[in-house]
Amino acid sequence: MAHTEKPTALIMIFGATGDLANRKLFPSLYNLFEKGKLDRFAVVGVARRALSNEEFQLKVKESVKENGETDPKADLDEFVSKFYYHSHDVTDSSSYLALGKLSEELDSHYGLNGNRIFYLAMAPEFFGTIAEHLKKDKLTDVSGFKRLVIEKPFGHDLESAKVLNKQIRTAFTEDEIYRIDHYLGKEMVQNIEVIRFANAMFEPLWNNRYISNIQVTSSETLGVEERGRYYEKSGALRDMVQNHMLQMVSLLAMEPPIKLTTDEIRSEKVRVFRALRPIKDGEVNEYFVRGQYDKGVMNEKEVPAYRQEEMVDPESNTETFVAGKLMIDNFRWAGVPFYIRTGKRMKAKSTKIVIQFKDIPMDLYYQPEKTVNPNLLVIHIQPEEGITLHLNAKKSGQGDATPVKLNYANKGIDGLNTPEAYEKLLYDSLRGDATNFTHWDEVALSWSFVDNISKVWENTKEPSFPNYASGSMGPDAADKLLEQDGFFWWPFNDIDVENC
Ligand SMILES: NC(=O)C1=CN([C@@H]2O[C@H](COP(=O)(O)OP(=O)(O)OC[C@H]3O[C@@H](n4cnc5c(N)ncnc54)[C@H](OP(=O)(O)O)[C@@H]3O)[C@@H](O)[C@H]2O)C=CC1
Ligand SMILES: O=C1O[C@H](COP(=O)(O)O)[C@@H](O)[C@H](O)[C@H]1O
């Protein structure tokens, strides 16, 4: 499908006074505008509180100044002049008619060709209601395209995800639904496919004959902050593993698509999810480890334990850390463990992928007490962006094999989860490119994988909680998970990219 490079649309943001809109969406839209990537457009912000258009425009202006990457230029006034506000409780059916009328007026005033993007930046319990009202009150009856951009979490488990999907499918077809996983907007996550499929030297080795294991770590230094209410019901498994971690695994494990089209790429990813070995009830502890952070010292400041955070049960059984071993039962990956690890209040904010190659068949450079390191390909997702290839070579003046690193540093962006990822995803949704959004089949299969684990964890209280100190790399059991297979987590210091 050809994608319009300079899209035209009415963008309706539900939850326009919220944190996501303020920190990510407005600055991203501004960047697109400022780079000349948008043709004609207008934005309607929707939320309950009373605001005039002028007050809303001022908020958008401040958001761009505070959170934007670019120095706002003189065109910021022109940008915000296209923003309108509609005070509206999304549960109140009578208000949608007025929203529809405003949309039509803006469509004709700006010449938007009847194209509409509905961006749901609100709590997920409203997603279904909004979609149903949009349909009932004919906001989706348009002459151009209509697309629904929907934030995570997409359900709480497979059952609730199915209910939500059914609700939104009453108003939008699968092709019109853009389920955001912001990791898919990250530069180096998008680079996984290019590194794999544009290099003759990697793809022939990308299988169980040459790779011994793959490690994906996404660690955070922040705690649960003010999201205790949500996180108590979610935990790291639902918050990070079901979506971001499994998405990265699917990109690492998928077969080369026959073409770089949305359908072909998604269908290869779906095949990975289908090949994921399900974890049976009695096997959860063999394959997965859960952790919860205790108090600790980070940056010379004392930080509280998870159970002392606001809106968190002092006896909470919620995990803030997960490590797991995934097996992909297909010809390419049989026998190769994919280890994943994610948690809050860990030592460093970092997302890295380590591909560890098998040892050479015979070590000609053997010396007692000295081992030749395995080759590693490290993909640095954040905060630094790049790749490092760990090889062994002779250093000048020495006769033996010494570890050396080949570094490629992608032109980095400073900041984590910056508008950069949202900017790309917003642009893609406006252009009609759904490749970096999750298809329903991926969502359903990943929930079904995760549900097996969460059911067991919910029904068994973990007596060791809290079991890792804030500022550490998680509980000891996460190290044992690899030790029992003869591996270890590659320490960040050893695999850091230099000069990024
Ligand atoms: N913040 C982030 O960084 C991220 C957020 N997300 C997801 O994005 C979504 C939004 O998150 P976030 O912005 O943090 O949430 P906030 O709580 O900050 O914002 C919620 C928004 O919804 C509006 N709202 C609440 N109830 C109603 C209602 N009945 N009718 C109309 N508007 C309503 C609020 O405005 P008002 O009170 O004026 O009605 C506000 O604009 C969630 O699904 C979250 O999981 C995903 C990834 C990152
Ligand atoms: O989706 C989420 O992601 C963030 C981590 O995102 P990152 O881009 O900063 O790595 C996580 O903090 C949050 O709990 C989760 O909901």
Side-chain angles (χ1 to χ4, degrees):
M1 183 187 176
H3 305 299
T4 322
E5 292 311 306
K6 278 190 98 173
T8 287
L10 177 67
I11 305 163
M12 216 176 277
I13 301 181
F14 291 84
T17 54
D19 177 69
L20 183 74
N22 177 49
R23 283 192 308 113
K24 310 284 182 194
L25 304 185
F26 301 147
S28 299
L29 274 173
Y30 175 70
N31 286 351
L32 291 175
F33 168 76
E34 211 260 320
K35 289 174 187 166
K37 288 183 162 182
L38 301 178
D39 195 4
R40 299 178 306 278
F41 75 98
V43 178
V44 181
V46 177
R48 284 170 307 185
R49 73 198 67 175
L51 287 180
S52 66
N53 285 341
E54 290 70 28
E55 286 167 325
F56 181 51
Q57 290 172 0
L58 203 60
K59 275 183 180 293
V60 176
K61 223 174 183 175
E62 277 159 15
S63 137
V64 173
K65 284 186 184 157
E66 278 167 28
N67 306 300
E69 276 189 277
T70 342
D71 280 342
K73 309 266 178 336
D75 58 10
L76 185 55
D77 284 329
E78 187 196 338
F79 173 71
V80 300
S81 72
K82 297 169 195 297
F83 280 68
Y84 298 79
Y85 186 75
H86 180 75
S87 169
H88 162 105
D89 185 327
V90 295
T91 57
D92 171 10
S93 33
S94 63
S95 190
Y96 285 84
L97 290 173
L99 184 58
K101 192 160 170 287
L102 173 63
S103 307
E104 273 160 32
E105 282 165 13
L106 293 175
D107 192 303
S108 91
H109 179 72
Y110 286 95
L112 303 177
N113 302 341
N115 294 334
R116 281 186 198 167
I117 298 273
F118 302 95
Y119 196 121
L120 308 192
M122 288 190 55
E125 61 259 34
F126 297 116
F127 294 167
T129 311
I130 299 172
E132 284 174 350
H133 277 303
L134 292 177
K135 164 97 177 154
K136 189 169 141 289
D137 289 318
K138 301 194 174 16
L139 277 91
T140 50
D141 286 3
V142 289
S143 54
F145 64 68
K146 62 177 198 300
R147 295 182 189 135
L148 182 74
V149 184
I150 192 160
E151 271 296 340
K152 65 164 282 224
F154 197 90
H156 179 75
D157 54 17
L158 180 57
E159 275 323 298
S160 56
K162 276 186 186 163
V163 171
L164 171 57
N165 204 46
K166 205 166 160 202
Q167 284 176 309
I168 60 175
R169 286 296 303 275
T170 57
F172 298 89
T173 63
E174 176 62 31
D175 287 351
E176 292 169 333
I177 300 169
Y178 289 66
R179 298 180 193 82
I180 294 247
D181 182 313
H182 77 272
Y183 268 55
L184 295 181
K186 289 187 191 283
E187 191 59 39
M188 288 307 294
V189 173
Q190 296 190 352
N191 221 328
I192 295 173
E193 280 172 74
V194 185
I195 293 165
R196 286 191 55 193
F197 303 134
N199 289 299
M201 63 185 285
F202 290 132
E203 195 47 31
L205 307 181
W206 211 264
N207 55 52
N208 52 9
R209 268 168 289 150
Y210 299 100
I211 289 178
S212 73
N213 73 92
I214 293 185
Q215 305 177 9
V216 185
T217 298
S218 190
S219 59
E220 296 189 69
T221 47
L222 289 180
V224 70
E225 310 297 296
E226 67 290 343
R227 294 168 75 213
R229 190 202 298 272
Y230 153 76
Y231 202 84
E232 270 288 88
K233 290 201 222 102
S234 158
L237 190 65
R238 293 188 171 99
D239 188 47
M240 291 292 290
V241 175
Q242 179 268 336
N243 37 67
H244 312 319
M245 302 302 282
L246 289 183
Q247 281 295 324
M248 286 191 279
V249 168
S250 71
L251 290 167
L252 289 162
M254 69 192 246
E255 293 300 313
I258 54 172
K259 276 187 271 163
L260 288 177
T261 58
T262 306
D263 287 350
E264 295 299 342
I265 293 172
R266 284 169 152 190
S267 82
E268 293 305 341
K269 286 169 68 193
V270 167
R271 284 156 66 89
V272 174
F273 289 114
R274 284 173 48 208
L276 259 185
R277 186 184 299 171
I279 312 286
K280 300 194 193 91
D281 285 7
E283 295 173 341
V284 171
N285 294 339
E286 196 185 318
Y287 285 89
F288 271 80
V289 168
R290 54 179 159 162
Q292 188 190 75
Y293 63 80
D294 201 349
K295 62 184 185 324
V297 177
M298 296 186 70
N299 282 334
E300 295 166 24
K301 264 179 68 184
E302 284 209 9
V303 292
Y306 176 69
R307 288 177 177 185
Q308 294 163 336
E309 302 274 19
E310 251 175 65
M311 317 290 282
V312 170
D313 178 352
E315 295 292 314
S316 176
N317 193 38
T318 300
E319 79 287 349
T320 60
F321 172 98
V322 174
K325 170 168 137 178
L326 311 178
M327 299 305 292
I328 297 169
D329 290 330
N330 62 18
F331 257 50
R332 185 186 282 262
W333 295 116
V336 180
F338 283 67
Y339 299 107
I340 56 167
R341 173 174 64 157
T342 182
K344 294 204 179 280
R345 281 271 190 253
M346 291 174 67
K347 195 172 169 182
K349 170 73 189 172
S350 179
T351 305
K352 283 192 205 308
I353 296 167
V354 182
I355 293 108
Q356 179 174 341
F357 291 87
K358 287 191 170 166
D359 290 338
I360 41 173
M362 189 176 91
D363 186 357
L364 291 169
Y365 295 92
Y366 176 78
Q367 289 180 27
E369 290 160 33
K370 198 164 178 197
T371 48
V372 172
N373 282 344
N375 293 137
L376 304 177
L377 173 66
V378 183
I379 305 177
H380 306 269
I381 308 283
Q382 63 182 12
E384 70 278 12
E385 296 183 348
I387 51 179
T388 309
L389 191 54
H390 292 242
L391 306 168
N392 295 294
K394 178 175 122 41
K395 279 207 170 153
S396 275
Q398 296 171 12
D400 53 356
T402 311
V404 294
K405 293 182 195 178
L406 299 185
N407 279 331
Y408 160 69
N410 210 25
K411 200 172 115 332
I413 42 165
D414 40 36
L416 304 167
N417 194 6
T418 61
E420 171 79 358
Y422 274 94
E423 187 182 320
K424 278 197 259 181
L425 295 174
L426 259 169
Y427 187 51
D428 284 352
S429 67
L430 283 156
R431 288 162 66 235
D433 182 353
T435 313
N436 291 312
F437 296 79
T438 43
H439 188 275
W440 165 246
D441 293 347
E442 298 171 63
V443 175
L445 287 161
S446 54
W447 272 128
S448 136
F449 177 78
V450 156
D451 280 356
N452 290 350
I453 305 159
S454 50
K455 266 182 219 140
V456 171
W457 281 355
E458 273 165 13
N459 293 330
T460 44
K461 187 135 177 108
E462 175 51 62
S464 70
F465 278 180
N467 59 356
Y468 70 97
S470 286
S472 71
M473 280 310 278
D476 294 344
D479 297 334
K480 299 209 174 89
L481 189 70
L482 275 71
E483 276 163 23
Q484 69 199 13
D485 295 341
F487 302 123
F488 58 86
W489 294 106
W490 284 93
F492 281 3
N493 297 347
D494 291 3
I495 55 171
D496 259 351
V497 67
E498 284 161 1
N499 310 321
C500 264

